[in-house]
Amino acid sequence: MEKYSVIIIGGGPAGLTCGITLASSKGKFDFAEEKKYLVIYDDYSDLDKALLRNVPGIQKGIRGKDLLKRIRKQASEFDNLILKKGKVVEAHGEKGNFTVKLESGEEYRSEYLVVATGFHRFDIKGLDLEIIPHRKSPRPGKIMIKNEGGKVRDGLFVAGLVAGVPTMYASASGSGAEVACDILSEWAGKTVVVHDVPDTD
């Protein structure tokens, strides 16, 4: 069974941003050189039905499904980040030893686990999470996983709408980046972020 440094369940804005941020740390930190990451996503993302007109830096009027394709393409360009289409039905374990099982029967292991499954429902068995009403959803009946700043417990994080952020693309994406930086900071033993700067002459 293949083992990853981090498995991210969910391939919407939060999950993909988390994966890209983690993957982009290679070449910037010695501790990140041998790390590898897996994003598992299924057929649906709320971004599929969105039309984006108010996201800074993103073309006004782009359809969410087109943006999602671009982000997946960007993610696939990292050699330490794998995208896997599938439905997670079960996950269990603790920091250093999580196991994720797909509907197909495939299983993967990881040191850390990030849940970024959206705010509609949570039906993955085995993690013993506290599901509560979403605090910032304009629609009733939406859920989130109880957490403190994205952290549920050691090694287990939530990102995006399931973490309780507002139902906006920029909020979900930012939540994914923040969780990635928190994981990198744990590995570094100090606060780190992943920045790029242009080459200078």
Side-chain angles (χ1 to χ4, degrees):
M1 189 189 313
E2 193 160 6
K3 187 170 184 179
Y4 291 85
S5 306
V6 182
I7 290 177
I8 301 158
I9 305 173
L16 287 170
T17 300
C18 184
I20 288 170
T21 304
L22 288 167
S24 69
S25 67
K26 183 178 178 180
K28 297 178 176 66
F29 305 113
D30 289 343
F31 65 80
E33 289 307 297
E34 302 303 319
K35 305 287 188 187
K36 57 182 183 176
Y37 314 98
L38 175 65
V39 174
I40 303 172
Y41 67 98
D42 59 17
D43 287 321
Y44 177 79
S45 167
D46 279 328
L47 195 56
D48 286 326
K49 60 184 182 182
L51 181 68
L52 303 172
R53 294 186 175 177
N54 63 353
V55 183
I58 292 179
Q59 177 188 342
K60 182 179 178 181
I62 189 170
R63 291 185 177 276
K65 61 183 178 181
D66 295 327
L67 179 58
L68 196 55
K69 288 177 186 176
R70 289 186 189 182
I71 302 170
R72 285 179 182 155
K73 182 177 184 300
Q74 180 185 2
S76 69
E77 293 170 357
F78 290 93
D79 62 3
N80 56 346
L81 177 60
I82 305 298
L83 302 183
K84 170 72 179 176
K85 191 171 184 181
K87 179 176 175 56
V88 175
V89 294
E90 186 176 344
H92 55 85
E94 57 190 23
K95 183 178 179 180
N97 190 30
F98 286 100
T99 300
V100 171
K101 184 175 182 179
L102 275 59
E103 193 172 49
S104 64
E106 296 169 274
E107 293 187 5
Y108 301 94
R109 293 174 57 223
S110 66
E111 298 171 23
Y112 283 71
L113 184 63
V114 177
V115 176
T117 52
F119 69 161
H120 296 289
R121 66 186 180 282
F122 187 80
D123 52 10
I124 297 170
K125 297 177 181 177
L127 287 175
D128 190 27
L129 304 172
E130 187 174 350
I131 309 300
I132 60 176
H134 196 288
R135 297 175 182 146
K136 296 185 178 180
S137 172
R139 290 182 280 166
K142 304 306 177 186
I143 61 95
M144 60 178 282
I145 293 170
K146 189 173 181 181
N147 68 94
E148 291 293 330
K151 190 170 189 175
V152 178
R153 57 180 178 263
D154 281 350
L156 178 58
F157 291 80
V158 288
L161 304 191
V162 77
V165 303
T167 60
M168 299 285 289
Y169 172 87
S171 299
S173 180
S175 171
E178 183 175 4
V179 164
C181 289
D182 287 346
I183 292 171
L184 293 170
S185 295
E186 285 195 13
W187 289 337
K190 60 181 181 180
T191 299
V192 297
V193 294
V194 189
H195 283 156
D196 287 305
V197 295
D199 294 331
T200 56
D201 294 332

